[in-house]
């Protein structure tokens, strides 16, 4: 059984993960429109991942006898200034999610809720990995620069990263 305070904090996290899923879906659609197919595939996969993060919390809340609430999701932006700016926005959003996970950890400690503390460990690792991934993408974009073929090279690189992420997910599933 979790406290009402913890239940409501976890429901807030559901909202954040749901928004991330919608934001990344909107980014995938924008990338498609711009002809950046590698980036679109990457963002679609990220969007699906965020939905999984959200569902994981629903299941957890049920398991500990609480009630997971389906949130109203704010409309995400549809247009992005550039691919660089778009990934900067992803990185910022991931940092926001990390902060929120850390606040949940703080609350679990305060409430001596070791079950939730244990549940949150997976998210701590996930956020570290996501932030590192987004930083590496931003570094790559910077390295490629803004030359005439830059969008083509960026898209190819993101395509490669996406394939590597898909392989890693498969390996994780089989483990
Ligand atoms: Fe679920 O927010 Fe990052 O990965």
């Amino acid at each position: 059984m979790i406290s009402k305070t913890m239940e409501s904090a976890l429901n807030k996290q559901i909202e954040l993960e749901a928004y991330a899923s919608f934001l990344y879906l909107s980014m995938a659609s924008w990338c498609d429109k711009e002809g950046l197919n590698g980036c679109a595939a990457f963002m679609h996969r990220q969007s699906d991942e965020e939905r999984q993060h959200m569902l994981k919390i629903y299941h957890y809340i049920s398991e500990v006898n609480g009630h997971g609430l389906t949130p109203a999701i704010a409309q995400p932006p549809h247009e992005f200034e550039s691919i660089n700016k778009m990934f900067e926005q992803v990185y910022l959003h991931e940092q926001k999610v990390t902060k929120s996970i850390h606040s949940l950890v703080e609350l679990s400690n305060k409430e001596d809720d070791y079950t939730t503390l244990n549940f949150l460990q997976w998210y701590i690792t996930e956020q570290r990995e996501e932030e590192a991934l987004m930083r590496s993408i931003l570094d790559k974009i910077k390295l490629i620069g803004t030359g005439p073929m830059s969008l083509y090279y960026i898209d190819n690189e993101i395509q490669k990263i996406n394939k590597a992420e898909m392989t890693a997910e498969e390996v994780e599933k089989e483990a």
Side-chain angles (χ1 to χ4, degrees):
M1 184 86 189
I2 45 167
S3 71
K4 280 287 156 205
T5 315
M6 182 57 83
E7 184 188 62
S8 133
L10 286 169
N11 271 313
K12 278 263 158 249
Q13 190 65 31
I14 283 184
E15 195 179 324
L16 209 52
E17 304 286 349
Y19 181 74
S21 180
F22 265 43
L23 175 65
Y24 297 168
L25 185 61
S26 184
M27 287 173 169
S29 175
W30 178 80
C31 291
D32 256 329
K33 174 174 76 76
E34 298 294 313
L36 298 162
N37 300 337
C39 293
F42 178 87
M43 292 317 300
H44 270 299
R45 194 190 41 72
Q46 289 293 125
S47 170
D48 288 347
E49 250 194 31
E50 296 301 344
R51 180 177 147 77
Q52 291 309 318
H53 298 171
M54 175 190 75
L55 291 178
K56 232 178 162 68
I57 305 173
Y58 270 102
H59 295 314
Y60 174 72
I61 295 178
S62 284
E63 234 184 318
V64 290
N65 207 18
H67 188 184
L69 305 178
T70 307
I73 304 170
Q75 176 102 66
H78 299 303
E79 294 294 337
F80 303 91
E81 215 177 292
S82 64
I83 197 66
N84 190 358
K85 291 268 179 245
M86 190 197 86
F87 276 109
E88 273 174 12
Q89 220 170 311
V90 175
Y91 184 42
L92 275 179
H93 192 75
E94 288 300 329
Q95 286 174 291
K96 187 175 167 183
V97 173
T98 302
K99 260 199 185 146
S100 172
I101 294 290
H102 291 177
S103 306
L104 284 169
V105 169
E106 243 179 83
L107 182 63
S108 328
N109 268 320
K110 208 172 112 202
E111 293 197 349
D112 292 336
D113 180 350
Y114 302 114
T115 311
T116 304
L117 190 62
N118 176 259
F119 167 72
L120 290 170
Q121 301 310 304
W122 183 88
Y123 285 86
I124 296 175
T125 309
E126 174 68 17
Q127 284 312 118
R128 189 198 66 222
E129 290 172 359
E130 286 293 289
E131 282 198 26
L133 177 66
M134 296 314 158
R135 259 199 319 274
S136 74
I137 287 178
L138 286 172
D139 285 348
K140 202 144 260 172
I141 291 176
K142 206 167 158 195
L143 216 63
I144 293 172
T146 53
M149 296 282 284
S150 59
L151 281 178
Y152 175 81
Y153 291 125
I154 289 170
D155 198 47
N156 266 354
E157 285 300 320
I158 307 291
Q159 178 94 279
K160 273 190 236 160
I161 293 172
N162 191 44
K163 284 199 177 136
E165 287 292 309
M166 280 163 75
T167 310
E169 274 169 26
E170 283 307 314
V171 170
E172 209 174 293
K173 263 189 224 155
E174 279 163 23

